[in-house]
Amino acid sequence: MKLLHLTDIHLTTPGQTIAGRDSNANFEAAVAHALEHHPDAELMAITGDLSDWGDREDYERLRVLIERIPVPVALCIGNHDDRPTFLEVFPEYAGEGGFVQTVHETSAGRCLFLDTWGPETHEGHYCAARQAWLEGQLAASEGPVFLFMHHNPVPTHVAPLDEIRLKDDAAFRQIVARHRDKVRHIFFGHCHLPVTGSAGGVPVTSLRGTNHAGFANFPETALLTGSDLPPAYGVAFVADDYVTVHMVEFGHDGKLWAENAPDYASWNRATMVR
């Protein structure tokens, strides 16, 4: 089974840019690239920061765009979003307690989409009510289960990022640890970075967003760091006994070379320079 993972699409007012990039055009380019190369995907997950400012018009345009995608799409909201406005445009996402938490079934297992949004903050929150929902979903499921969320559930050790991480991360990891025999993988966004690791004994992965990229600038302790690295999306291959996740840099516009190309023999074996 194949899953597509897009994150941090940051739709904004047409004609405006973010970090000098057109986030609307880049989202559409990411979708087009993913569908061209992976038309057999069962699900496209978009894990938050759907809108850059939480504007209703962004959600309305997103709804129109999603309706044209031939693959089922499931959404999370992130810190740049606005939950009440999102639910005005996507009322079917209103879950228990008014949170944007949904369940999607695939041939590889159940996918749970979590709501880590908090009002007027970039920090992630997963309160007792949301924790109870997740605990109940995992207890009732035979597995396997895949979790999708916006905020990072583990520290990155990049200080500015960890200031706005999931603040209930320890409680979240405890829930995951209790059900680690069922939870196969956790996908998240928010960091605009490729990140791998584990939470509660379960593998986690993140990736760059479809527009602007971050950078793991460990010496910087106060300000978030951006870069000109290519935007990307993820593709996950899921089987009974493994999960493989790739970050696809669809925004790369440089040359690609192949090891078995006709001119490969002319490369210098010591320096890999002609």
Side-chain angles (χ1 to χ4, degrees):
M1 194 267 293
K2 189 182 292 185
L3 293 168
L4 296 169
H5 179 201
L6 283 69
T7 194
D8 296 278
I9 65 177
H10 287 270
L11 300 185
T12 193
T13 303
Q16 294 185 354
T17 61
I18 304 171
R21 297 178 177 182
D22 186 335
S23 61
N24 302 322
N26 279 331
F27 171 63
E28 295 194 48
V31 170
H33 190 282
L35 293 177
E36 177 186 357
H37 294 277
H38 308 286
D40 55 338
E42 282 195 30
L43 182 67
M44 178 181 291
I46 308 177
T47 54
D49 283 357
L50 308 173
S51 168
D52 195 47
W53 290 99
D55 292 336
R56 181 186 179 94
E57 293 77 11
D58 294 337
Y59 299 128
E60 290 173 341
R61 285 185 290 107
L62 178 60
R63 184 160 199 117
V64 171
L65 291 169
I66 285 175
E67 289 173 352
R68 299 203 297 257
I69 296 175
V71 171
V73 177
L75 306 173
C76 291
I77 56 172
N79 50 291
H80 278 256
D81 291 303
D82 182 75
R83 185 194 289 140
T85 306
F86 171 81
L87 288 174
E88 288 176 2
V89 181
F90 291 92
E92 68 273 22
Y93 275 83
E96 184 179 310
F99 297 109
V100 181
Q101 302 205 116
T102 55
V103 180
H104 296 264
E105 303 290 350
T106 70
S107 63
R110 177 168 294 172
C111 297
L112 302 183
F113 286 75
L114 312 185
D115 181 341
T116 60
W117 182 84
E120 299 181 0
T121 180
H122 288 297
E123 298 173 351
H125 295 275
Y126 209 64
C127 61
R130 283 174 275 191
Q131 292 173 31
W133 180 85
L134 177 59
E135 186 85 60
Q137 289 289 331
L138 293 176
S141 174
E142 295 182 359
V145 178
F146 301 86
L147 303 183
F148 294 81
M149 60 198 300
H150 181 70
H151 288 84
N152 47 306
V154 294
T156 63
H157 296 274
V158 179
L161 281 175
D162 288 343
E163 283 295 314
I164 56 172
R165 74 181 191 279
L166 185 70
K167 292 302 181 178
D168 311 279
D169 58 343
F172 174 82
R173 291 194 297 271
Q174 289 170 8
I175 296 172
V176 170
R178 287 195 289 272
H179 301 277
R180 70 178 69 181
D181 59 325
K182 300 177 183 179
V183 182
R184 293 279 310 276
H185 206 90
I186 302 172
F187 299 86
F188 66 96
H190 186 49
C191 300
H192 295 241
L193 291 173
V195 179
T196 67
S198 65
V202 174
V204 301
T205 58
S206 186
L207 64 154
R208 276 188 224 125
T210 61
N211 190 62
H212 43 301
F215 194 85
N217 186 9
F218 294 100
E220 173 59 59
T221 61
L223 302 176
L224 293 170
T225 301
S227 72
D228 288 328
L229 291 168
Y233 66 85
V235 55
F237 299 82
V238 181
D240 291 340
D241 59 347
Y242 71 85
V243 176
T244 301
V245 183
H246 288 273
M247 186 178 75
V248 181
E249 296 174 299
F250 72 93
H252 173 70
D253 59 2
K255 181 181 179 181
L256 300 178
W257 58 269
E259 184 174 357
N260 292 322
D263 63 346
Y264 182 73
S266 65
W267 286 52
N268 183 295
R269 61 185 290 175
T271 64
M272 289 300 290
V273 176
R274 287 178 182 273

